[in-house]
Amino acid sequence: QVQLVESGGGLVQAGSSLRLSCAASVTMNRIRTMGWHRQAPGKQRELIANITNTGSASYTDDLEGRFAVSRDSATNTLYLQMNSLKLEDTAVYYCSAEVRSYFNYQYDTYWGQGTQVTVSS
């Protein structure tokens, strides 16, 4: 069973930084693209950043420059460094991973349970 466990969320003031982590229960060589998503109150979940198994990262236009996504194959962990946090960054943040099945070599998408980030003024 593949598990993704997020951590690092919390309550911070505007302008602060946070680093979110997403620990995978499988090795990175089975994981293709990993992503960070967020869901603000009353809004749909949205993809904000992803990173491929070759290290290529992409972001939504308004977050590039403030957020940075990375992955560590030594610890099987995905990270999201968030700087200059704004009130509108308040949301539940989720990670996702495309994991290759041992049985049919197809990729399935798994999700973490989410971690709350609250930015106050």
Side-chain angles (χ1 to χ4, degrees), residues 46-82:
E46 61 173 347
L47 174 67
I48 59 172
N50 62 21
I51 184 167
T52 69
N53 53 3
T54 60
S56 178
S58 61
Y59 306 86
T60 57
D61 289 344
D62 57 342
L63 294 180
E64 190 164 12
R66 286 197 303 126
F67 288 13
V69 61
S70 61
R71 56 195 282 176
D72 184 347
S73 59
T75 59
N76 303 320
T77 303
L78 174 73
Y79 297 101
L80 183 68
Q81 177 67 42
M82 305 187 294

Side-chain angles (χ1 to χ4, degrees), residues 21-54:
S21 300
C22 171
S25 63
V26 297
T27 56
M28 285 291 185
N29 62 5
R30 285 182 57 197
I31 301 177
R32 192 166 56 186
T33 299
M34 301 187 79
W36 284 103
H37 312 250
R38 69 184 181 185
Q39 186 167 17
K43 295 188 177 182
Q44 290 189 330
R45 189 178 302 187
E46 61 173 347
L47 174 67
I48 59 172
N50 62 21
I51 184 167
T52 69
N53 53 3
T54 60

